[in-house]
């Protein structure tokens, strides 16, 4: 390599860095190794596949996960994000960290009627399921974006599907809230937190490949996603949804242990 091309490459790298403060060279997508741990959350799996979280999916502390969500998604450490991260610790006996696969513990953060995973009672609640995801994938027909209206319709349709399939379905206000947050998440992180509009191809790559669609033109949100803009988006999705609790009633926010006591965190 001659000096001129070395200079041009470092100039290009600097220009790319300027754009978002993130060194994307150090955060390229890599498929997980067979020994790397992944879990039911496509967002955290994506952060691990890009090295914002440890690529092995292990020993994730609260500061590590908050920084990863901020760096990868420009999502601030809001009370909501901090609470979700702390709930992650309830899925493990470790003192101050969790592994991504721990999060599959049914009923803590993991929940029925996911956008991309089968219900716990129906089989594999960890890996991406194309049949489950087809409801979201096929929503908002005729246009190339998802929005608040389609996100609300998908929540209703997924619930109708699982109400038929799963007699042990858990659908309390907790599950509904988490599902709205997840919908707001893909609309804002893959799209625009202000308009609630996200390109379909970005959302599909995110769920299907657990990859940030950088090559396809995705950019980290230019505005930080924080309490005000995200809560407004959630309110829009909620307003567009009709929902009623159904199925088994179980106390929100519990730590279910096979042998140990059930710890009620917040009822
Ligand atoms: C996972 O990776 C992190 C950081 O890369 C490292 O600190 C940790 O020890 C690893 N955990 C395991 C179980 O290999
Ligand atoms: C890191 O994770 C591994 C695998 O789950 C576990 O055995 C080890 O105890 C963890 N280390 C710490 C410091 O938590
Ligand atoms: C995918 O989900 C559907 C619906 O929950 C289920 O019937 C099917 O068995 C799942 N497929 C796999 C491979 O787990
Ligand atoms: C979402 O997109 C659909 C299809 O273009 C449209 O009918 C609907 O009004 C949009 N919703 C919002 C809130 O803009
Ligand atoms: C979102 O859309 C609005 C309105 O089109 C635009 O002003 C804004 O720059 C977009 N981006 C973000 C990150 O909100
Ligand atoms: C709530 O939904 C109705 C239509 O169902 C719509 O007219 C109204 O603008 C929405 N309000 C907000 C705050 O999104």
């Amino acid at each position: 390599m001659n000096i001129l091309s070395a200079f041009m490459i470092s100039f290009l790298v600097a220009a790319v860095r300027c754009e978002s403060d993130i060194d994307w060279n150090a955060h390229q997508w890599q498929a997980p190794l067979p020994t790397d741990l992944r879990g039911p959350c496509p967002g955290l799996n994506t952060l691990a596949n890009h090295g914002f979280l440890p690529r092995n999916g292990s020993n994730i502390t609260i500061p590590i996960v908050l920084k990863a969500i901020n760096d990868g998604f420009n999502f601030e450490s809001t009370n909501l994000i901090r609470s979700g991260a702390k709930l992650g610790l309830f899925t493990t006996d470790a003192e101050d960290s969790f592994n991504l696969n721990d999060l599959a513990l049914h009923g803590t953060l993991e929940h029925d009627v996911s956008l991309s995973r089968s219900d716990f009672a129906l089989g594999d609640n960890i890996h991406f399921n194309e049949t489950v995801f087809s409801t979201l994938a096929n929503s908002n027909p005729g246009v190339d974006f998802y929005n608040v209206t389609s996100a609300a319709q998908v929540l209703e349709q997924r619930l109708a599907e699982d109400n038929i399939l799963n007699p042990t379905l858990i659908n309390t206000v907790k599950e509904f809230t988490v599902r709205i947050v997840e919908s707001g998440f893909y609309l804002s992180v893959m799209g625009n937190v202000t308009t609630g509009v996200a390109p379909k191809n970005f959302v599909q790559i995110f769920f299907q490949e657990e990859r940030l669609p950088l090559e396809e033109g995705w950019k980290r949100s230019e505005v930080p996603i924080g309490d005000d803009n995200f809560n407004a988006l959630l309110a829009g999705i909620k307003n567009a949804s009709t929902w009623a609790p159904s199925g088994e009633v179980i106390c929100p926010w519990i730590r279910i242990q096979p042998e140990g006591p059930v710890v009620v965190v917040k009822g």
Side-chain angles (χ1 to χ4, degrees):
M1 181 187 328
N2 65 33
I3 291 184
L4 184 63
S5 55
F7 173 78
M8 286 184 66
I9 286 169
S10 55
F11 175 79
L12 276 175
V13 169
V16 169
R17 267 191 201 165
C18 256
E19 218 182 307
S20 64
D21 283 352
I22 298 294
D23 179 3
W24 288 106
N25 262 342
H27 290 288
Q28 288 182 10
W29 185 86
Q30 283 171 32
L33 302 172
T35 49
D36 290 340
L37 302 174
R38 293 292 181 268
C41 174
L44 295 182
N45 291 348
T46 300
L47 291 172
N49 291 342
H50 282 271
F52 289 106
L53 286 173
R55 291 187 188 268
N56 61 21
S58 278
N59 307 103
I60 297 170
T61 63
I62 305 294
I64 288 175
V65 74
L66 295 180
K67 183 174 187 321
I69 291 170
N70 195 255
D71 287 351
F73 299 142
N74 202 11
F75 208 123
E76 290 177 336
S77 168
T78 61
N79 188 32
L80 177 82
I81 293 287
R82 285 196 302 275
S83 303
K86 290 173 185 176
L87 277 169
L89 291 180
F90 274 86
T91 63
T92 169
D93 290 329
E95 283 182 6
D96 63 355
S97 68
F98 58 85
N99 299 335
L100 290 181
N101 60 331
D102 292 332
L103 301 179
L105 183 70
H106 185 51
T108 302
L109 282 166
E110 188 277 348
H111 58 88
D112 288 334
V113 200
S114 154
L115 294 170
S116 62
R117 266 66 175 169
S118 197
D119 285 1
F120 175 69
L122 300 178
D124 182 348
N125 65 336
I126 297 188
H127 298 98
F128 176 80
N129 180 312
E130 190 74 52
T131 311
V132 170
F133 183 66
S134 65
T135 303
L136 167 52
N138 295 330
S139 67
N140 225 20
V143 293
D144 61 2
F145 58 87
Y146 303 118
N147 64 15
V148 164
T149 317
S150 69
Q153 283 164 353
V154 168
L155 289 177
E156 284 173 31
Q157 196 182 329
R158 282 288 304 121
L159 183 56
E161 289 160 4
D162 282 5
N163 264 328
I164 295 168
L165 290 175
N166 183 1
T168 63
L169 181 95
I170 301 172
N171 170 40
T172 71
V173 67
K174 173 189 142 184
E175 282 73 27
F176 183 57
T177 305
V178 175
R179 293 168 62 227
I180 288 196
V181 169
E182 289 164 349
S183 302
F185 194 82
Y186 75 75
L187 290 177
S188 60
V189 168
M190 284 298 116
N192 183 315
V193 67
T194 314
T195 59
V197 170
K200 284 183 173 176
N201 65 328
F202 292 178
V203 173
Q204 291 177 10
I205 288 166
F206 175 74
F207 277 99
Q208 285 169 330
E209 300 175 39
E210 300 187 333
R211 173 167 76 77
L212 296 173
L214 290 157
E215 294 151 35
E216 289 79 7
W218 174 84
K219 288 201 181 74
R220 198 171 159 262
S221 177
E222 279 157 23
V223 298
I225 305 169
D227 271 329
D228 290 351
N229 53 17
F230 194 65
N231 287 343
L233 176 57
L234 299 187
I237 301 170
K238 195 171 176 187
N239 180 51
S241 316
T242 54
W243 172 83
S246 62
E248 296 208 345
V249 177
I250 192 160
C251 199
W253 311 124
I254 55 167
R255 161 89 157 101
I256 303 167
Q257 292 174 296
E259 290 125 31
V262 172
V263 182
V264 179
V265 179
K266 182 178 161 189

